[in-house]
Amino acid sequence: MRDVAVPRSSLGFAAAQGRRPHRHRRDRRETDPGSSSWANWFETAVGRFDIEHPQEDLTIPQRLIARACAEPDAVAYRQKRHGYYQEWAWRRLALDVAGMESALRGLGFRRGARAALIGDPCLELLVIELAVLALGGIAVALYPSHPPAELAALLRDCDPTIIAVDTQEQRDKLLDAPGGVSAARPIILINGRGKTPSPQANTLDYEHLRQTGAQSYAANPEAFMESVRRGDADDPALILYTGFSSGHPTGAVHSQRTYHHTLRAMPILCPTLLKRRLRGVAALPMAHAVGRITVFLPLASRLIVHFPEGAESLRTVFREVAPSFAFYVPRIFQKMASALLSDLRSTRGLKRTAYRGAMYFADRARGRTRGGATQWAVRLGYRVAQAIVFRPLLKKAGLARLGYAATGGAPVPQELVSLLWRWGLDLREIYVQAECGVVLAQQASPSAADSIGALSRIGTIAAEISESGEIVVQTPGLAIGRWEGGQVSRRTGDAGYRTGDIASEAQGRLRLLGNAAQFVTLHGGLKINRQRIASTLIGSNYISEAIVLVRESGAVLSLLELEFEAIS
């Protein structure tokens, strides 16, 4: 087992140069006392590991152990700490999860209990969640941006036995929330390493807990494998809260089987995930349906996910990592495109003239012409434009090596897709919801106007349009029920799930129009989509968040939060 550190800028630079990054090695001589039990279970329950045809009845922790046995030294994740990317191979990750499972069991966490995870994406939160699943518990992913009162209400609803937070600020917010947090409820603080113990008795340092758990696991490794063996793919495993815009959020409950189905949909859309070791960046909280897919996708593919350090800008992280796979909400791509356009507007002379000339050839070579082949001179001009303008432009944002780029979770502006297509980046739309996972996707390249936003069904997933225009879904990835009254209220019957989103259909393809609750009819019959207006506003490099309101008089108002770094 290795502990590998990659210098701050060498990872992306070395990848761009096609050579192996410099590595500093530190010999780790620990032995795994449970290796024999892992191997025995793998030979009996799995036999042969096949990432392209995975067994359907395995739980997520069982898939982790299978990868640790089949590919122990293959890199699964990289996390940046103190300017260096440290590698976690599958075996090292599994050992960390085994130790954390032992630590949580020692704290009294039992099968069916809930654990609330709050914070930006990081490897420690992933380890805690996998340990919770190994114990048969239910992970509750919450946004770090929840206001204290809303956070307290969600915690009262799910009643977690353990809470994990990534920063001191998140812990303080918990303690200051209305109603507070019971002093008997442990709070795991992830970034508390090297600090003096907190005066609050309910705060536990993650690093200390990890070391204690590793010792406990070494003393009794069979207890961990017993927990893993007892797991069932149909056990409740995850609560994702949705419906915040309505003021009444509800928790969608997924089993390990339904969530793994969501992960399996991505390699169908991007088969390269199963064949090559692509690089991705965790950029969204694990409470977001899109953000979770990126973090957990290595379990169903060969993707290597990179966790950034602290409050680093995505532009910096992308330049370092040079990702080859990206799946984010539209605002991330909008921000990057807006920042690049802002930089271009500040240039003069030759650079601005070169960009205008490049866009001239892009509009003709990749424009939406209805017939006839593009003239050879235009094609040649566009290739030159790609080499001297567009590729350096994308490289500046860390997007030049993207082999697959997708966006979803919110309305996707067609102007954004069209602009990136002209720059040479093929951005595809995916329809994903917390309740039903990945359902529809734009599988055709946006080379024609009617292909942008035209979504096709994936595999055996059934998605139909009701008489009211609402999308109705039947999929194996559908949540097994909702969290109500302290227990799982399971779905009954075979009726399709009504998503609340409106779409139109033509030639077997669906075009997403937006959420029904976001459409408002003004005086005079004019209908507007508040969500699409807010999405367009957030696309500005100077706006961080936007909320669109409509008064009874018909006046449309927008509440804006400015992007401090852009305007300072």
Side-chain angles (χ1 to χ4, degrees):
M1 186 168 56
R2 299 177 303 173
D3 186 13
V4 181
V6 181
R8 178 185 301 270
S9 61
S10 67
L11 179 62
F13 177 78
Q17 298 298 317
R19 53 187 178 82
R20 191 179 183 85
H22 167 72
R23 295 183 173 186
H24 169 69
R25 302 191 179 206
R26 185 178 67 195
D27 189 19
R28 296 174 63 96
R29 301 186 181 278
E30 299 96 329
T31 59
D32 172 21
S35 58
S36 60
S37 61
W38 291 15
N40 292 337
W41 172 85
F42 179 75
E43 292 176 2
T44 303
V46 181
R48 177 177 176 271
F49 176 75
D50 186 353
I51 196 171
E52 297 188 16
H53 304 92
Q55 294 183 354
E56 295 295 332
D57 294 331
L58 296 181
T59 65
I60 290 177
Q62 288 169 357
R63 297 180 193 281
L64 170 64
I65 299 301
R67 290 295 287 273
C69 292
E71 302 176 328
D73 297 322
V75 178
Y77 294 90
R78 291 189 179 107
Q79 174 150 280
K80 192 174 185 182
R81 285 293 179 265
H82 308 297
Y84 291 84
Y85 279 98
Q86 300 177 8
E87 291 184 349
W88 263 257
W90 285 110
R91 190 166 195 79
R92 180 182 180 185
L93 177 64
L95 285 172
D96 282 355
V97 171
M100 185 55 61
E101 185 269 354
S102 299
L104 295 183
R105 186 163 16 90
L107 293 174
F109 192 87
R110 295 294 180 262
R111 183 170 296 273
R114 276 80 59 202
L117 311 175
I118 309 170
D120 291 320
C122 62
L123 191 73
E124 292 86 353
L125 283 178
L126 174 64
V127 168
I128 294 173
E129 178 163 344
L130 290 173
V132 167
L133 298 184
L135 279 166
I138 302 174
V140 185
L142 300 176
Y143 287 96
S145 57
H146 283 308
E150 186 176 64
L151 183 60
L154 294 175
L155 292 175
R156 286 194 297 269
D157 183 65
C158 66
D159 189 25
T161 303
I162 289 175
I163 302 173
V165 296
D166 65 335
T167 63
Q168 187 86 16
E169 290 75 15
Q170 291 294 336
R171 192 211 63 170
D172 294 342
K173 185 168 66 173
L174 283 175
L175 299 177
D176 296 338
V181 176
S182 170
R185 183 174 298 170
I187 300 177
I188 302 174
L189 178 60
I190 290 175
N191 71 347
R193 284 170 288 190
K195 298 181 179 179
T196 57
S198 172
Q200 283 80 9
N202 60 347
T203 300
L204 304 173
D205 179 69
Y206 174 88
E207 184 62 21
H208 176 73
L209 195 64
R210 186 192 68 81
Q211 294 174 2
T212 302
Q215 295 171 1
S216 177
Y217 168 70
N220 185 15
E222 276 299 324
F224 168 68
M225 278 310 301
E226 180 61 26
S227 295
V228 172
R229 289 191 195 98
R230 289 180 58 195
D232 191 300
D234 294 318
D235 287 342
L238 172 66
I239 298 177
L240 288 178
Y241 281 95
T242 62
F244 294 102
S245 60
S246 66
H248 303 284
T250 57
V253 182
H254 279 273
S255 68
Q256 302 202 38
R257 186 191 304 275
T258 60
Y259 194 70
H260 185 257
H261 184 274
T262 293
L263 300 179
R264 286 292 301 154
M266 295 306 297
I268 296 176
L269 301 175
C270 179
T272 312
L273 282 167
L274 300 177
K275 304 180 185 304
R276 292 175 48 202
R277 308 195 68 80
L278 302 182
R279 297 181 304 280
V281 174
L284 293 170
M286 292 164 63
H288 197 291
V290 174
R292 288 189 65 83
I293 289 175
T294 297
V295 171
F296 280 84
L297 192 53
L299 287 161
S301 70
R302 301 195 182 279
L303 178 70
I304 301 175
V305 171
H306 296 70
F307 293 100
E309 183 175 29
E312 279 189 307
S313 69
L314 273 183
R315 196 168 178 179
T316 300
V317 175
F318 272 44
R319 283 200 297 262
E320 289 181 347
V321 176
S324 48
F325 172 89
F327 179 34
Y328 305 117
V329 292
R331 64 180 171 85
I332 289 183
F333 291 102
Q334 286 177 291
K335 294 289 186 185
M336 290 187 173
S338 177
L340 292 175
L341 289 174
S342 178
D343 292 344
L344 287 168
R345 282 192 291 267
S346 64
T347 61
R348 295 181 179 180
L350 183 59
K351 287 186 177 180
R352 177 171 292 189
T353 301
Y355 178 73
R356 288 176 177 173
M359 288 299 291
Y360 171 87
F361 286 106
D363 288 338
R364 282 150 183 79
R366 307 201 94 168
R368 286 145 181 80
T369 55
R370 291 190 173 273
T374 307
Q375 297 179 357
W376 69 268
V378 174
R379 292 199 300 269
L380 177 61
Y382 179 65
R383 289 186 179 182
V384 174
Q386 277 188 308
I388 66 174
V389 177
F390 294 138
R391 190 163 184 81
L393 186 67
L394 294 175
K395 188 175 181 180
K396 188 176 182 180
L399 304 176
R401 297 180 65 85
L402 272 181
Y404 184 85
T407 184
V412 182
Q414 295 190 12
E415 298 79 9
L416 172 67
V417 179
S418 178
L419 175 64
L420 294 180
W421 172 247
R422 284 165 166 76
W423 287 356
L425 182 61
D426 185 351
L427 181 64
R428 315 240 176 149
E429 182 178 0
I430 294 179
Y431 177 63
V432 57
Q433 272 206 351
E435 293 90 343
C436 53
V438 175
V439 178
L440 305 166
Q442 176 188 332
Q443 301 184 47
S445 179
S447 55
D450 61 353
S451 68
I452 296 181
L455 307 178
S456 302
R457 297 164 179 83
I458 302 173
T460 59
I461 296 175
E464 307 297 336
I465 305 296
S466 68
E467 294 182 358
S468 62
E470 184 179 7
I471 301 177
V472 182
V473 173
Q474 285 185 326
T475 169
L478 184 62
I480 61 174
R482 290 193 172 276
W483 184 257
E484 296 177 350
Q487 61 184 358
V488 180
S489 175
R490 291 183 176 267
R491 299 184 185 277
T492 58
D494 297 327
Y497 171 70
R498 304 183 73 90
T499 63
D501 291 325
I502 307 299
S504 61
E505 184 172 12
Q507 299 179 346
R509 295 187 295 185
L510 283 69
R511 191 176 299 275
L512 185 64
L513 302 178
N515 188 272
Q518 299 296 326
F519 284 93
V520 178
T521 303
L522 305 178
H523 298 303
L526 177 64
K527 182 177 287 189
I528 65 170
N529 185 343
R530 295 181 298 165
Q531 190 178 26
R532 190 168 292 276
I533 295 174
S535 177
T536 302
L537 291 171
I538 293 175
S540 169
N541 194 38
Y542 303 102
I543 299 176
S544 174
E545 295 291 344
I547 299 176
V548 178
L549 306 173
V550 179
R551 287 186 168 180
E552 294 182 0
S553 62
V556 181
L557 305 177
S558 294
L559 301 179
L560 306 179
E561 178 182 338
L562 300 182
E563 191 73 59
F564 176 77
E565 292 184 1
I567 64 176
S568 60

